[in-house]
Amino acid sequence: MDPDDFPTPEEPVDAIAPDELRRRIEDGEAVTILDTRASGDFEEWHIEGESVEIENVPYFEFLDGVDEALLEDVPVGDPLVVLCAKGGASEYVAGTLAEEGRDVAHLEDGMNGWASIYESVEVEGYDGPGTLVQYQRPSSGCLGYMVYDDGEAAVIDPLQAFTDRYLDDAAERGVELTYALDTHIHADHVSGVRALDEEGVTGVLPEEAVDRGVTYADELQMAADGDTFAVGEVTVETLYTPGHTTGMTSYLVGESFLATGDGLFVESVARPDLEEGDDGAPEAARQLYETLQDRILELPDDVIVGGGHTSDAAEPAADGTYTAPLGDLREEMDALTYDEQAFVETVLEDMPPRPANYEDIIATNLGQRETDEDEAFTLELGPNNCAASQDSMTGD
């Protein structure tokens, strides 16, 4: 049903904003949630957290009224936060429960509202020129970066759905967004590089990614291994790091921070099967091993690493970012010390389900499919699943 099709509940219920729910979870407050989406949607993707208790009872169970048996399936909260996909069903269910005397609120705009949260946090460990911030999208774990200095800025791995956000953030900081750089052809979100390029920002795509069938390569600037981009006094150096994809490229920012895209995360390494599938995964895993050993791990230990995604298994740094010194990852992630055979076996043995809609998203990012901002937002709903494992590979 469309959200507008649900009757307005007779008992008024308060709405809780997604940002406020996020704050409560981050602060460790006890949060009890009733997710009223279909069971399949719930199992694929739902809100999690150490202080979160969540149950799934689909909204249609409430359409014929509430009996004692149904109430027994509904948890008690202070208040109970009811959510759905867009907000209509949850308001109806919350109102129905309020009529039964339950303390309830409903999540404004549902999981779409949750997916709209996009935060920026300064990377305090960065000691190069200028300022570096990490963008965080809690709903999917997508991470991006903006570095700015001396009136100029660059954004790495922007999302199309937040095109205006990057422009507004640059304006608020009194700088001009000059570059938008992609690390690779993404499989879990629609890239914002082309949208920003249309707004006058120079869009940059890894040169090695073009052979996958990119249709718009002549419209953007290419980044080859060793190329540099000046952002004020900041030098952004291109480092070719294949494995997750054949075109995977990292960017060394101010000789202090490595934006690794989906090559290396603070809790895991990349999955190798999103370009050539299961058949090509072993060779991609071997390529990833060579990249990690011969390119990334050759950098100094004090270089800060920031991936393109995070997961529930990751622990944030003291500054709230999902970053870590390379030396710490070298010590804590056993997979980085394995020989090639053990590394490949480890990467291939426990890969999670592929990202939702990943084939349509890849086609969009290759330019073979047109997608507007609204559709891009919808395609991206759900977890990213770009790491080789759903569990952390650190601290074992």
Side-chain angles (χ1 to χ4, degrees):
M1 294 176 67
D2 187 271
D4 294 333
D5 293 338
F6 286 92
T8 301
E10 294 184 8
E11 188 74 23
V13 294
D14 293 332
I16 181 172
D19 286 332
E20 172 61 15
L21 181 61
R22 161 76 167 169
R23 182 199 64 76
R24 294 182 186 182
I25 294 173
E26 286 293 293
D27 289 349
E29 296 182 21
V31 173
T32 307
I33 297 174
L34 176 66
D35 190 321
T36 66
R37 296 175 299 151
S39 298
D41 295 333
F42 172 81
E43 291 170 3
E44 181 177 297
W45 174 53
H46 57 266
I47 295 175
E48 296 181 282
E50 290 186 3
S51 64
V52 175
E53 175 191 352
I54 187 167
E55 296 291 341
N56 173 228
V57 181
Y59 71 86
F60 51 77
E61 299 282 351
F62 297 86
L63 295 179
D64 294 328
V66 178
D67 57 25
E68 287 299 322
L70 183 56
L71 279 176
E72 289 180 1
D73 293 333
V74 176
V76 175
D78 183 26
L80 173 67
V81 179
V82 186
L83 64 81
C84 61
K86 299 180 179 179
S90 60
E91 183 177 14
Y92 168 76
V93 172
T96 300
L97 291 171
E99 292 171 1
E100 297 294 327
R102 292 294 185 94
D103 184 7
V104 292
H106 80 98
L107 181 63
E108 187 176 305
D109 297 325
M111 291 299 279
N112 279 10
W114 184 251
S116 297
I117 301 174
Y118 201 51
E119 302 170 333
S120 62
V121 184
E122 183 174 343
V123 182
E124 296 178 2
Y126 171 72
D127 64 2
T131 302
L132 179 70
V133 298
Q134 182 182 70
Y135 286 103
Q136 303 174 355
R137 192 182 193 185
S139 65
S140 65
C142 285
L143 303 175
Y145 302 89
M146 178 181 285
V147 61
Y148 59 95
D149 181 60
D150 196 21
E152 297 181 330
V155 62
I156 298 172
D157 283 343
L159 280 64
Q160 179 181 312
F162 296 95
T163 297
D164 291 341
R165 170 68 181 273
Y166 306 117
L167 296 168
D168 291 344
D169 282 0
E172 287 179 9
R173 292 174 168 88
V175 297
E176 179 182 359
L177 188 56
T178 54
Y179 290 110
L181 305 100
D182 256 343
T183 55
H184 64 296
I185 301 299
H186 297 278
D188 68 300
H189 69 261
V190 176
S191 166
V193 164
R194 281 191 291 165
L196 285 166
D197 189 78
E198 292 174 358
E199 296 292 334
V201 180
T202 298
V204 179
L205 188 70
E207 184 176 73
E208 297 290 344
V210 174
D211 288 344
R212 288 188 65 180
V214 176
T215 64
Y216 53 88
D218 57 347
E219 301 172 14
L220 303 182
Q221 185 171 336
M222 295 296 106
D225 187 41
D227 284 353
T228 60
F229 303 87
V231 183
E233 296 298 317
V234 181
T235 297
V236 179
E237 181 182 354
T238 305
L239 186 66
Y240 180 45
T241 52
H244 175 65
T245 66
T246 52
M248 184 69 237
T249 296
S250 300
Y251 296 103
L252 183 61
V253 180
E255 298 184 345
S256 171
F257 176 83
L258 187 68
T260 54
D262 289 352
L264 174 63
F265 311 107
V266 298
E267 78 280 21
S268 184
V269 299
R271 66 184 304 157
D273 64 327
L274 294 183
E275 183 172 341
E276 296 293 341
D278 293 337
D279 291 341
E283 178 57 33
R286 285 188 284 272
Q287 190 176 47
L288 176 62
Y289 175 82
E290 293 176 2
T291 285
L292 292 170
Q293 296 298 322
D294 299 340
R295 306 228 69 184
I296 293 179
L297 292 176
E298 288 297 309
L299 295 172
D301 281 351
D302 60 356
V303 168
I304 302 296
V305 171
H309 297 98
T310 186
S311 71
D312 292 328
E315 292 290 335
D319 62 3
T321 66
Y322 293 93
T323 61
L326 181 59
D328 288 0
L329 297 182
R330 193 194 312 270
E331 291 181 5
E332 297 173 5
M333 195 176 298
D334 289 345
L336 298 181
T337 68
Y338 292 164
D339 62 25
E340 181 177 295
Q341 181 177 346
F343 177 87
V344 171
E345 291 175 354
T346 298
V347 167
L348 297 180
E349 70 182 1
D350 188 32
M351 287 188 293
R354 294 183 176 118
N357 304 312
Y358 80 100
E359 291 176 325
D360 286 340
I361 292 174
I362 290 174
T364 299
N365 287 329
L366 290 172
Q368 299 170 1
R369 184 180 188 276
E370 291 299 321
T371 305
D372 61 23
E373 279 193 27
D374 290 340
E375 186 181 6
F377 185 89
T378 301
L379 285 174
E380 295 164 358
L381 294 177
N384 65 77
N385 288 347
C386 287
S389 174
Q390 290 179 312
D391 299 322
S392 176
M393 289 184 170
T394 62
D396 293 335

